């Protein structure tokens, strides 16, 4: 499947990944150890593991695993966060290079926020279901395992979903979000 952003006219072949709330995304399962994430990611491409800065005293040590596509150096397509106590708790799909992940038929990765909002509202109305807005104003399906973030692609904002479970010592996914994910908006080409 080819995906072309209006922002940078880059065509990226995207893998299709499934999302199961509280279970995982694609080959990644919540609760996996660092070694298990690296092993599962070997099918996708190269990985880079690094320590995360301690952002809250209540959280156990956390690692960031950047997963690129293919064998040559490439920007991360997926970033996984693993805590010592909870295991894999957050999976972020890059707006440009990440796999396409759908929730109830709605594509969540690399979308224009207003189009994603329209699709989310239409889906909720058709299914007699619900949607919610994140604290940053993104409309998402009413599933507390999806936290939508924005990522600048050139001059255009695109969707960067985080698929999460609550990590050790936190009350919600927003409380669990890795500090590195608050640093959104960096330009990607």
């Amino acid at each position: 499947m080819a995906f072309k952003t209006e922002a940078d006219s880059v065509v990226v072949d995207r893998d299709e990944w499934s999302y199961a709330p509280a279970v995982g995304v694609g080959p990644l399962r919540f609760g996996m150890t660092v070694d298990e994430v690296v092993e599962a990611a070997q099918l996708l491409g190269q990985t880079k593991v690094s320590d995360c800065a301690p952002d809250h005293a209540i959280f156990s040590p956390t690692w960031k695993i950047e997963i690129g596509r293919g064998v040559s150096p490439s920007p991360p397509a997926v970033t996984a966060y693993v805590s010592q106590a909870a295991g894999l708790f957050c999976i972020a799909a890059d707006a440009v290079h990440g796999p396409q992940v759908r929730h109830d038929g709605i594509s969540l990765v690399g979308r224009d926020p207003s189009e994603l909002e329209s699709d989310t509202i239409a889906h909720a109305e058709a299914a007699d279901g619900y949607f919610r807005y994140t604290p940053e104003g993104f409309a998402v399906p009413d599933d507390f395992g999806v936290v939508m973030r924005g990522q600048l692609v050139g001059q255009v904002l695109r969707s960067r979903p985080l698929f999460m479970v609550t990590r050790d010592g936190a009350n919600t996914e927003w409380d669990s979000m890795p500090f590195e994910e608050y640093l959104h908006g960096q330009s990607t080409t």
Side-chain angles (χ1 to χ4, degrees), residues 112-130:
D112 175 279
S114 63
E115 291 174 5
L116 179 57
E117 178 181 44
S118 295
D119 288 352
T120 300
I121 292 169
H123 179 270
E125 289 173 350
D128 199 25
Y130 300 95

Side-chain angles (χ1 to χ4, degrees), residues 131-155:
F131 69 95
R132 63 185 167 93
Y133 284 97
T134 66
E136 293 179 324
F138 294 103
V140 295
D142 191 28
D143 180 331
F144 289 101
V146 179
V147 174
M148 194 59 66
R149 304 291 296 176
Q151 177 180 330
L152 281 176
V153 179
Q155 297 295 315

